[in-house]
Amino acid sequence: MTSDKSKTGSLLIKGGNLIDPAAKIDAVMDLLLRDGHVAEVALPNKIRGGVDANFDARGLVVAPGFIDLHVHLREPGQSYKETIATGTAAAAAGGFTSVCCMPNTSPVVDSQEWVAWIQQPQRGAVVNVFPVAAATQASKGAVLTDFRGLQRAGAVAVSDDGKPILNETIMRETLRLAAEINLPVIQHAEDTRLTENCSMNESTTSFRLGLRGMTTAAEATVVDRDVQLAQQFTGARLHVAHLSTADALKAVRRGKRGKARVTCEITPHHFTLTDADIGEYNTYCKMNPPLRSAGDREALLVALADGTVDAIATDHAPHATHEKIIEFEKALFGIIGLETALGLAITRLHREHKIPLARIVELLTAGPARVVDLRGRGTLARGSYADVTIFDPKRRWTYEAAKSRSKSRNTPFDGWQLTGKVVATIVGGKIAHRAG
Ligand SMILES: [Zn+2]
């Protein structure tokens, strides 16, 4: 890398509806990017001087680059499912300019060396990658990792995602030590003592299919406990990953009234589908946390609208066909989600549930940027990084999983008609993806 990396020239994005919730802007504006940063935001036709390139954004939304707090890029160790190169290509196609990748790889990312490895240029990332490091060694829940060292190496949070930090003493220490260095702790809230051998939500559908069901309490009790633990330490930051139940939301709301910083994310599949969508053992509807009841989904929709939820995160979880197209109980948990997130958000949240576009943009930009402190991202304020997502909120399109940039195809949304499509994804002033 040369020191000229930031010299990307200039790009003038003209006439788009600029939505930047962090700066409270929702208006037709021109946006000038220069040398990797936002140089100017101005009313139409006010920006003077020569530029290297123009982008006609009339009729389109120009937003800060989307940030996904929860993806599984599968490297190191599971490149047959995904690589950092293919996963970030899928991210760019979905409008994401930054992703936070989870440490449950092989080996687990629990050392400075692996945190640095993920960020090496040879990985071929086409969007910004911010590693989340393991909170405990090998994510075994017993011995804490070196939070300071991991943070120095570039980790933006710690988490044992894929598993919960169940032991109360360990979780208390995690929150206490992370608070000292202002590091968020991301918890996969699942009391695994209650969910052993369960493959879906406990409901009439699990009864009909003869499958063991996870109770909503398995999630809510862990969130409730963690919220209480977090309140014990000034500056503690607890982020609840892929929250899926009404009861867990209640605990988050309590937490937000206290002195700790409690935040949460919700996935597109949890606000779109319910456990009834499993139908006759559709393994593309098997994920963890599982799809929940219509009542839980309703509570998520309310919380997305009212500000309780901080971010939409995909939990993009690629798996090979042989790991998904097998008996329901043996199939692995998880689906890919980077390329369908915006379409599902606009189709379900905006068009059906009348959540304003500006709120959806906030959940994809300023909200997640705040959760992990990505300064200079999640906004288009002057001086910010030139990460921009341009999308057509009205364009109808059909998602074809076979054309995914991801290495994997495990999605329940293949063939779905969606409204709202990414037109261009700009990372550091350079176009990383442009729709054909
Ligand atoms: Zn998880």
Side-chain angles (χ1 to χ4, degrees):
M1 285 290 139
T2 68
S3 57
D4 286 327
K5 194 191 168 202
S6 62
K7 299 281 179 208
T8 55
S10 56
L11 174 65
L12 179 60
I13 302 166
K14 293 181 70 161
N17 176 24
L18 193 137
I19 300 181
D20 181 1
K24 298 196 166 50
I25 296 173
D26 186 347
V28 174
M29 303 284 261
D30 289 348
L31 173 68
L32 177 64
L33 309 177
R34 180 179 287 134
D35 296 337
H37 290 84
V38 173
E40 216 174 328
V41 183
L43 290 168
N45 305 313
K46 297 288 183 204
I47 296 176
R48 300 276 168 238
V51 292
D52 298 325
N54 285 282
F55 190 108
D56 182 358
R58 283 174 298 176
L60 305 175
V61 171
V62 176
F66 298 165
I67 298 163
D68 192 341
L69 292 175
H70 197 135
V71 303
H72 299 273
L73 297 178
R74 302 305 190 201
E75 279 191 309
Q78 296 180 313
S79 54
Y80 70 97
K81 296 175 194 259
E82 194 77 288
T83 64
I84 291 170
T86 58
T88 56
F96 292 94
T97 58
S98 296
V99 296
C100 299
C101 59
M102 289 296 157
N104 59 337
T105 47
S106 181
V108 168
V109 176
D110 60 4
S111 68
Q112 295 179 54
E113 287 72 23
W114 282 118
V115 170
W117 184 89
I118 286 169
Q119 300 168 92
Q120 285 168 354
Q122 0 1 343
R123 300 289 87 76
V126 296
V127 308
N128 308 301
V129 175
F130 296 99
V132 175
T136 68
Q137 285 176 23
S139 287
K140 286 188 171 154
V143 183
L144 296 193
T145 53
D146 170 16
F147 294 178
R148 276 175 207 276
L150 293 166
Q151 187 181 45
R152 223 178 301 119
V156 294
V158 287
S159 177
D160 279 353
D161 185 57
K163 298 177 196 170
I165 303 171
L166 219 47
N167 181 295
E168 188 170 322
T169 309
I170 299 289
M171 187 58 178
R172 182 185 290 113
E173 275 304 279
T174 301
L175 288 163
R176 185 178 73 79
L177 291 169
E180 285 178 5
I181 54 171
N182 197 26
L183 196 63
V185 177
I186 302 178
Q187 175 74 299
H188 167 122
E190 174 189 357
D191 188 338
T192 45
R193 293 164 301 191
L194 302 176
T195 58
E196 216 179 326
N197 300 319
C198 293
S199 51
M200 66 171 293
N201 187 43
E202 184 179 67
S203 64
T204 50
T205 308
S206 67
F207 183 77
R208 177 174 65 81
L209 296 175
L211 296 169
R212 283 174 68 102
M214 305 184 195
T215 60
T216 57
E219 175 177 277
T221 52
V222 174
V223 177
D224 197 54
R225 180 204 70 176
D226 290 350
V227 164
Q228 290 182 43
L229 288 176
Q231 303 302 346
Q232 298 175 9
F233 307 108
T234 307
R237 297 171 63 172
L238 171 70
H239 179 69
V240 182
H242 41 54
L243 183 146
S244 68
T245 63
D247 287 339
L249 276 172
K250 285 180 197 155
V252 166
R253 287 197 176 95
R254 269 197 302 280
K256 282 180 183 284
R257 291 193 294 267
K259 66 175 182 176
R261 260 176 81 179
V262 177
T263 53
C264 71
E265 68 192 27
I266 285 178
T267 73
H269 46 273
H270 285 111
F271 69 63
T272 302
L273 303 171
T274 68
D275 55 17
D277 289 297
I278 291 169
E280 294 302 316
Y281 306 96
N282 179 359
T283 55
Y284 287 154
C285 288
K286 179 177 176 180
M287 50 283 276
N288 191 14
L291 297 175
R292 301 290 188 178
S293 66
D296 282 307
R297 183 180 58 180
E298 197 56 40
L300 301 187
L301 290 166
V302 169
L304 282 158
D306 75 11
T308 305
V309 178
D310 298 272
I312 292 171
T314 65
D315 196 6
H316 177 82
H319 290 300
T321 304
H322 71 267
E323 296 166 325
K324 280 303 253 188
I325 303 303
I326 48 175
E327 299 94 305
F328 196 90
E329 285 170 296
K330 288 186 186 157
L332 298 184
F333 291 102
I335 61 167
I336 56 172
L338 286 161
E339 292 163 304
T340 44
L342 178 72
L344 289 169
I346 290 180
T347 306
R348 291 300 220 204
L349 303 182
H350 179 57
R351 292 175 66 89
E352 286 176 30
H353 292 276
K354 309 302 173 205
I355 296 179
L357 268 186
R359 171 68 181 146
I360 290 169
V361 170
E362 181 180 37
L363 286 159
L364 290 164
T365 61
R370 272 193 299 265
V371 171
V372 289
D373 288 336
L374 297 185
R375 293 206 182 83
R377 302 191 199 275
T379 175
L380 293 172
R382 196 176 169 160
S384 313
Y385 291 100
D387 293 350
V388 185
T389 301
I390 301 172
F391 64 93
D392 184 341
K394 299 208 170 87
R395 173 111 51 103
R396 283 165 68 89
W397 61 291
T398 303
Y399 177 58
E400 292 175 71
K403 292 185 181 164
S404 173
R405 275 75 170 177
S406 169
K407 253 192 177 181
S408 292
R409 298 286 179 266
N410 50 313
T411 169
F413 303 117
D414 187 26
W416 276 43
Q417 270 231 338
L418 299 172
T419 302
K421 193 171 196 309
V422 174
V423 174
T425 307
I426 298 165
V427 181
K430 288 187 201 158
I431 294 184
H433 168 83
R434 190 156 187 179

